[in-house]
Amino acid sequence: AQSVSQHNHHVILSEAASLELGCNYSYGGTVNLFWYVQYPGQHLQLLLKYFSGDPLVKGIKGFEAEFIKSKFSFNLRKPSVQWSDTAEYFCAVMNYGGSQGNLIFGKGTKLSVKP
Amino acid sequence: DGGITQSPKYLFRKEGQNVTLSCEQNLNHDAMYWYRQDPGQGLRLIYYSQIVNDFQKGDIAEGYSVSREKKESFPLTVTSAQKNPTAFYLCASSAFGRTDTQYFGPGTRLTVL
């Protein structure tokens, strides 16, 4: 079965530190890739997505992610985090295989940014 | 104001009772979805519907039922057969079917006492 792995359950950073959240998936075919964010008390929001083209994708609030097909990875990055980035981040992969079009989520990474 | 609404935000039910969660969207999206979110588990797909009067089981459909009588509405019933119903339930929709970007509602937190 396809799966999505997020390497860190909880990341704690100080403001202005750089962020990289890992995401790897197991499906070998064509995929669409997503990062969603869930701020405390708010609904799940789309941060960025990759469907095709430039593997370096820029999203909202200064976030970016790089699709590395050979590594089955789609890591999320931000050069300098802010306290307002405190949230839970979910990587999700949509495959075109057996479970066609199913969006498979990772278990999430909680980010806590200390002011 | 376009979007996805879910009601209620919090819901409490006694064990053994069925309960229906509401999901409405005014985005004119074709496809709608129900997910369950548990702490440390990410989101898991319960049911999805790509068109009115049609829906398919997701990965964890047992103990749940849905209907899609109108394009804008996709209610989820949590039945007494669901062994562990206490969870956060998220509804989503996408414009052109399952290969399109999904957008999420605010969720309903169900607690079964």
Side-chain angles (χ1 to χ4, degrees):
Chain A
Q2 293 90 39
S3 64
V4 177
S5 298
Q6 292 185 239
H7 311 303
N8 306 101
H9 176 64
H10 192 185
V11 173
I12 303 172
L13 296 173
S14 297
E15 276 194 316
S18 64
L19 170 71
E20 181 160 4
L21 301 182
C23 173
N24 286 88
Y25 61 93
S26 63
Y27 184 65
T30 304
V31 292
N32 291 343
L33 300 160
F34 306 82
W35 275 97
Y36 286 89
V37 60
Q38 193 170 35
Y39 297 103
Q42 296 189 27
H43 65 276
L44 206 64
Q45 300 172 39
L46 181 68
L47 201 54
L48 49 79
K49 63 184 179 182
Y50 172 80
F51 277 25
S52 63
D54 188 345
L56 184 62
V57 180
K58 294 195 184 299
I60 61 172
K61 303 187 180 186
F63 286 91
E64 65 178 30
E66 185 175 13
F67 171 46
I68 304 179
K69 190 173 181 179
S70 60
K71 294 185 178 181
F72 301 92
S73 71
F74 190 55
N75 291 355
L76 181 71
R77 300 194 292 249
K78 186 172 184 179
S80 176
V81 295
Q82 300 173 316
W83 176 79
S84 58
D85 293 324
T86 295
E88 190 160 17
Y89 293 81
F90 293 92
C91 179
V93 177
M94 182 184 292
N95 66 68
Y96 290 84
S99 300
Q100 289 176 358
N102 271 4
L103 191 59
I104 310 296
F105 282 83
K107 293 185 176 183
T109 297
K110 286 186 180 177
L111 172 65
S112 299
V113 180
K114 299 183 291 185
Chain B
D1 205 13
I4 303 170
T5 57
Q6 292 185 243
S7 60
K9 188 172 182 179
Y10 299 96
L11 191 54
F12 297 88
R13 278 296 181 268
K14 291 183 179 179
E15 196 172 337
Q17 290 182 332
N18 291 357
V19 60
T20 297
L21 281 58
S22 168
C23 177
E24 304 275 334
Q25 53 98 359
N26 61 4
L27 302 167
N28 200 33
H29 283 179
D30 285 334
M32 296 185 74
Y33 313 80
W34 274 105
Y35 290 88
R36 172 181 170 137
Q37 185 181 11
D38 296 284
Q41 294 294 319
L43 279 70
R44 292 178 290 170
L45 182 66
I46 303 172
Y47 267 99
Y48 64 92
S49 167
Q50 297 194 81
I51 196 169
V52 172
N53 292 323
D54 185 57
F55 47 83
Q56 304 294 329
K57 292 182 179 180
D59 299 320
I60 55 166
E62 186 175 349
Y64 300 98
S65 65
V66 293
S67 63
R68 186 89 186 275
E69 296 177 3
K70 298 185 294 182
K71 186 175 184 178
E72 60 270 23
S73 178
F74 190 42
L76 173 75
T77 296
V78 184
T79 76
S80 56
Q82 168 49 233
K83 294 178 182 177
N84 187 19
T86 294
F88 190 51
Y89 291 89
L90 289 165
C91 178
S93 69
S94 62
F96 303 116
R98 297 174 62 203
T99 56
D100 202 359
T101 303
Q102 293 181 26
Y103 296 92
F104 287 80
T108 292
R109 188 166 297 281
L110 173 64
T111 302
V112 176
L113 306 171

